[in-house]
Amino acid sequence: MIIDGMADRPLEELGFKTPLEAAATPNMDKLAETGICGIMDPIKPGIRAGSDTSHISILGYDPYKVYTGRGPFEAAGVGVNVLEGDIAFRCNFSTANDDGVITDRRAGRIRERTEELTEAVNSIDIEDVQIIFKESTGHRAVLVLRGDGLSDQVSAADPKYDGKKWTRVEPLDETQEARKTADILNQVVERSYQILKDHPLNQERIENGENPGNIILPRGAGAVPHVQAFSDKYGLKAACIAETGLIKGIGKITGMDIIDIEGATGGVDTNLDNITQGILDTAAKDYDFLLINIDGADEAGHDGNAQEKLEFIEKADQVVGKLMDLEDLYFILTADHSTPISVMDHTGDPVPLIINGPDIRVDDVKIYNERAASKGGLCRIRGSDVMNILMDLMNKSTKFGA
Ligand code: ZN
Ligand code: ZN
């Protein structure tokens, strides 16, 4: 169970405690008291991990080999059945004028009925390449190119700022594949504008004084990597309960079953009751392993809101409390990185980790936070150690040597 971005640095406004130290977390403390604690560098000491690369590492894959960019994981997370070799992009629905100037990168923060625009975009076909487009939340979407002779070495069409023309996609190396992919992407962008500018939904939006979603702007190219299925790697049937497309995508690309939770927003306003129930229902089924990600603490960290982060951690503690009665399992509680209030982004500080379960060598740590956990029996480990430790505890490891 990964409380996204939960770890932090000491804050003056909290009397030089971290939000986790300042929060009342009786259930996490109990889990620590009856388990073994340590701190973990998700990738290696000092490396600022993204949520994606951290999760990849904790699941025992090498993020430096597997991670080819955010596109493939986002695409998988919104339900595109990505295949090895596909080139995937993150996209925005944006607003353009006839000169190609982007007047609103987020198309008036369009929220509703983007699936109608998606349907129109999916009618685009270019040469021998299959265009797969899918809306995500809000103004976000994903684009997947499938076919021979494609490359992820292409630049972004998104100009990053309003008031600029969309950027023509350029190949980033000399290969024929990169040239072909850039050419196709430029055609996709141009044709998306032709198809979407007079789309009925956009006409309605213009009448209502809202910016139309009349162009799609791809960025963040990544080739879908080859990833050994989690079930093959460990012999464990696994499910993923996550809120964001990114983490669901990691579950999907590693072959896990994805459990969707109603009301899971990925923010501090998420429906933790539904998430708890979803975990309990899934745990009762025939799975050997659950990857759980709860996202709100990270959002509060990015917003620099200490009080909100502290309160969300206290709510997450209630979730932990309701899961503690589950029997005959190993419960690992950790974070995927620190998202300190003072930095408002991820840092390379290690995160606290507990393992609780049968035959654990319980240590002297009695509370759960960054500093207390550093005195625990696991000492300081890396994300890539977690699955090895778990497999060993479950007696599912094979011996190295005689
Ligand atoms: Zn994260
Ligand atoms: Zn984050």
Side-chain angles (χ1 to χ4, degrees):
M1 180 173 192
I2 293 171
I3 311 295
D4 207 296
M6 172 167 58
D8 211 300
R9 294 176 177 176
L11 280 170
E12 189 172 1
E13 64 177 295
L14 298 177
F16 297 99
K17 290 180 174 176
T18 68
L20 178 58
E21 286 173 332
T25 55
N27 297 303
M28 293 180 185
D29 292 347
K30 179 130 188 264
L31 203 66
E33 188 176 2
T34 55
I36 185 168
C37 291
I39 52 174
M40 173 179 76
D41 296 292
I43 296 177
K44 4 183 206 197
I47 299 297
R48 296 188 158 184
S51 294
D52 38 20
T53 49
S54 169
H55 280 71
I56 290 166
S57 179
I58 292 168
L59 294 174
Y61 299 90
D62 181 352
Y64 292 101
K65 292 195 179 128
V66 166
Y67 189 67
T68 53
R70 198 163 161 173
F73 297 97
E74 292 272 1
V78 299
V80 177
N81 242 327
V82 293
L83 304 177
E84 189 180 337
D86 287 352
I87 311 295
F89 304 82
R90 306 166 68 201
C91 296
N92 275 8
F93 286 107
S94 302
T95 310
N97 65 22
D98 281 333
D99 299 326
V101 174
I102 304 304
T103 55
D104 182 353
R105 284 182 65 245
R106 299 188 180 89
R109 293 214 173 250
I110 188 167
R111 290 179 81 103
E112 316 262 295
R113 294 167 60 195
T114 47
E115 64 278 6
E116 295 172 31
L117 303 178
T118 292
E119 204 183 326
V121 174
N122 274 316
S123 69
I124 298 174
D125 69 322
I126 296 169
E127 298 171 37
D128 56 343
V129 174
Q130 196 183 342
I131 312 281
I132 304 161
F133 186 77
K134 180 96 170 68
E135 77 283 359
S136 177
T137 50
H139 57 277
R140 299 175 198 88
V142 299
L143 171 70
V144 173
L145 303 181
R146 181 171 296 165
D148 291 330
L150 298 174
S151 164
D152 61 356
Q153 293 303 305
V154 289
S155 65
D158 184 342
K160 285 195 185 154
Y161 301 100
D162 290 346
K164 284 187 159 182
K165 269 180 114 152
W166 68 271
T167 324
R168 285 197 72 79
V169 179
E170 302 287 348
L172 297 177
D173 63 27
E174 299 291 302
T175 61
Q176 174 60 32
E177 286 81 4
R179 274 203 298 277
K180 174 178 173 176
T181 309
D183 180 52
I184 287 169
L185 271 185
N186 285 323
Q187 292 186 55
V188 169
V189 175
E190 279 163 11
R191 295 198 25 205
S192 74
Y193 181 66
Q194 289 159 14
I195 289 175
L196 295 177
K197 68 173 178 174
D198 297 321
H199 189 281
L201 175 63
N202 281 331
Q203 287 178 340
E204 258 180 62
R205 289 182 66 83
I206 291 164
E207 278 163 29
N208 294 334
E210 297 168 316
N211 287 336
N214 61 13
I215 196 165
I216 61 161
L217 297 178
R219 65 180 191 280
V224 176
H226 170 74
V227 177
Q228 187 187 12
F230 187 87
S231 57
D232 292 343
K233 196 170 163 67
Y234 299 108
L236 301 175
K237 190 177 169 211
C240 170
I241 297 179
E243 304 190 75
T244 60
L246 192 60
I247 306 303
K248 284 184 192 175
I250 284 164
K252 185 97 189 175
I253 284 184
T254 55
M256 296 182 185
D257 288 349
I258 308 300
I259 313 295
D260 286 312
I261 306 288
E262 212 179 300
T265 63
V268 291
D269 63 345
T270 196
N271 190 327
L272 287 171
D273 289 338
N274 284 4
I275 292 175
T276 307
Q277 197 53 50
I279 295 167
L280 292 170
D281 292 347
T282 310
K285 286 186 197 148
D286 188 23
Y287 288 106
D288 306 311
F289 182 93
L290 297 188
L291 171 66
I292 302 161
N293 178 285
I294 296 178
D295 202 45
D298 182 57
E299 186 187 72
H302 284 289
D303 289 345
N305 191 331
Q307 195 55 36
E308 202 169 70
K309 186 166 181 182
L310 186 158
E311 282 166 18
F312 189 80
I313 290 170
E314 293 186 342
K315 286 188 208 158
D317 182 73
Q318 300 297 312
V319 178
V320 171
K322 287 174 195 145
L323 303 178
M324 279 167 61
D325 293 337
L326 290 169
E327 284 181 348
D328 196 28
L329 54 75
Y330 287 96
F331 191 157
I332 303 183
L333 177 70
T334 190
D336 55 343
H337 47 75
S338 302
T339 311
I341 298 294
S342 57
V343 181
M344 296 170 72
D345 205 345
H346 306 181
T347 64
D349 302 271
V351 298
L353 177 128
I354 311 171
I355 304 179
N356 195 305
D359 304 332
I360 286 281
R361 291 184 194 163
V362 176
D363 60 24
D364 294 335
V365 177
K366 300 208 169 2
I367 53 171
Y368 180 64
N369 62 52
E370 297 87 341
R371 277 181 272 218
S374 72
K375 301 186 187 82
L378 285 167
C379 304
R380 185 166 183 161
I381 62 170
R382 293 188 182 192
S384 55
D385 298 323
V386 170
M387 285 306 299
N388 288 335
I389 294 170
L390 179 63
M391 293 294 283
D392 178 47
L393 284 169
M394 295 192 300
N395 299 319
K396 286 183 179 288
S397 293
T398 49
K399 186 160 53 176
F400 174 47

